[in-house]
Amino acid sequence: MRVLGVESSCDDTAAAVLDGRRVLSSIVASQDDVHRRFGGIVPELASRSHIRNVRSVIERALVTAGLELDQIDAVAATNGPGLVGSLLVGLSAAKAIAFARDLPFVAVNHIEGHLLSALLEEEVEFPYLALVVSGGHTSLYFAEKLRSYRTLGATRDDAAGEAYDKVAKMLGLGFPGGPVLDKLARDGDPKAIRFPRARLKNPLRSVESGSFEFSFSGLKTAVWQHLRDRPGELDPAAIADIAASFQEAVVDMLLDTTGAALQSTQAPALVIAGGVSANSRLRQRAAELSAARGVRLHIPPMRYCTDNAAMIALAGSFRLAAGERDSLTTNAYADLEL
Ligand code: KG4
Ligand code: ZN
């Protein structure tokens, strides 16, 4: 089955064509240039950019796949969670195609897309623990089997990627902040500054209570205070030390809770997905953690870590193969539950 997937939940307009599990094309139009000068995503500008891009992105996905629209068997699109104005653009485009061509349609939860993204390139066996860590999400899930996911916990405040973006903004490093801080951190000393780690050891923490939580806003404030106490120009070495020390705190917090969840669930594998899984230090330390625990580690290649439509088409394909269909009246929801 050839499935066209469309994704527009945040600031990337994406379309992809899959034939079964084989990715024939995956096109992503980034809006970083639109949002860079604001140091974060401006929702209204995001929706307008999606409107400008969606048609050409879908066309490019078809051309790259070497297919005409009448060779597509079904359409899948993200309907949440995300920015509702952004979601509506891709969802409406996908529903319009399904309506015009009388094709089956399924709506896909963006998080399910991230959870399954590791399956695009590798055989990944269920069950597994999944850490989804991006600009909008920092959550742990237990993926028991297809369509059966348990939320183990999430961030109480900022997402890890959001903390990266805000710290980069404080340092005047532009947007998005993750890649540039990751790069700068390589020249810094992770022990130079002891930033606080929020360790939320909820006494009720168990697989059932879903309280494997994270918090990044205190760390963000600590970086702000550190900078406030050192007014004036920071030299490159001082910036590298801040980047490395901040990053070490983020990775410590992410993997502390992930380690506890591995212990509780006894999951034999760990999947890390979302934009922050591109982080070099997180990858290195996750590999160490997995080796120490004897669990398999799967991190999708970069192009499937960040937002993309291939993961949406894949999640859609599984649902379509199971005979599921959604109505063309399906709406977009900012806080759609998994
Ligand atoms: O998944 P994604 O493309 O979009 C959503 O937020 O849904 O993730 C983008 C986030 C941004 O916050 C960006 O700063 C972060 O991922 N990011 C990174 C790295 N590359 C991207 N964070 C840390 N290190 C990186 N190398
Ligand atoms: Zn995402």
Side-chain angles (χ1 to χ4, degrees):
M1 182 161 24
R2 288 168 179 153
V3 177
L4 170 69
V6 183
E7 150 67 39
S8 67
S9 63
C10 191
D11 63 331
D12 291 311
T13 321
V17 180
L18 259 64
D19 187 355
R21 277 172 62 173
R22 202 155 57 91
V23 181
L24 302 183
S25 64
S26 178
I27 306 292
V28 181
S30 149
Q31 300 179 5
D32 287 351
D33 292 341
V34 174
H35 304 288
R36 184 166 288 122
R37 69 194 172 98
F38 302 101
I41 294 158
V42 183
E44 180 59 26
L45 295 182
S47 342
R48 290 178 196 206
S49 302
H50 284 308
I51 291 172
R52 270 196 298 278
N53 293 340
V54 71
R55 200 184 155 132
S56 68
V57 166
I58 291 173
E59 277 168 4
R60 276 165 57 206
L62 290 167
V63 169
T64 306
L67 297 174
E68 304 280 343
L69 202 45
D70 57 17
Q71 293 170 291
I72 296 294
D73 301 310
V75 186
T78 310
N79 77 321
L83 300 168
V84 88
S86 288
L87 285 162
L88 280 169
V89 179
L91 180 65
S92 305
K95 288 195 296 187
I97 292 170
F99 178 71
R101 301 285 166 148
D102 200 16
L103 293 174
F105 167 78
V106 282
V108 172
N109 183 304
H110 181 80
I111 298 298
E112 184 177 21
H114 277 305
L115 288 181
L116 299 178
S117 60
L119 282 67
L120 284 164
E121 292 266 303
E122 286 184 279
E123 285 303 322
V124 180
E125 279 172 33
F126 290 97
Y128 54 81
L129 181 75
L131 171 66
V132 177
V133 60
S134 72
H137 306 279
T138 302
S139 309
L140 278 165
Y141 302 92
F142 183 66
E144 197 193 351
K145 55 180 196 258
L146 272 178
R147 311 290 294 142
S148 174
Y149 317 106
R150 183 195 286 267
T151 304
L152 299 182
T155 179
R156 287 197 191 173
D157 40 58
D158 292 348
E162 196 179 351
Y164 265 96
D165 293 338
K166 289 186 175 155
V167 165
K169 189 176 177 181
M170 291 177 213
L171 291 167
L173 296 172
F175 176 84
V180 55
L181 284 171
D182 187 358
K183 193 155 172 276
L184 285 171
R186 283 171 211 164
D187 298 322
D189 174 7
K191 295 203 177 83
I193 308 148
R194 181 70 195 175
F195 287 127
R197 276 90 168 135
R199 296 194 196 271
L200 302 172
K201 291 228 175 82
N202 189 325
L204 298 174
R205 191 148 93 176
S206 70
V207 175
E208 288 70 33
S209 67
S211 49
F212 289 86
E213 297 177 304
F214 303 92
S215 167
F216 296 95
S217 72
L219 170 62
K220 187 182 67 184
T221 306
V223 176
W224 179 83
Q225 285 168 335
H226 180 86
L227 294 172
R228 181 201 56 194
D229 297 342
R230 288 158 190 78
E233 285 284 298
L234 287 169
D235 62 36
I239 293 181
D241 281 348
I242 293 170
S245 302
F246 161 77
Q247 176 157 284
E248 206 61 17
V250 172
V251 174
D252 273 351
M253 285 191 274
L254 287 173
L255 293 185
D256 188 49
T257 306
T258 302
L262 279 174
Q263 180 81 34
S264 287
T265 57
Q266 292 291 308
L270 171 64
V271 166
I272 307 184
V276 182
S277 56
N279 186 263
S280 57
R281 185 72 179 138
L282 178 62
R283 284 177 174 247
Q284 185 190 359
R285 298 250 327 260
E288 289 164 13
L289 173 74
S290 306
R293 299 283 176 118
V295 304
R296 299 183 304 275
L297 175 66
H298 303 278
I299 306 180
M302 191 50 203
R303 63 186 180 284
Y304 301 138
C305 275
T306 51
D307 286 352
N308 66 87
M311 66 184 192
I312 302 303
L314 181 68
S317 298
F318 287 130
R319 295 199 44 206
L320 288 155
E324 293 183 40
R325 302 287 183 270
D326 285 316
S327 146
L328 293 182
T329 59
T330 303
N331 211 342
Y333 301 96
D335 50 4
L336 185 70
E337 298 268 341
L338 186 65

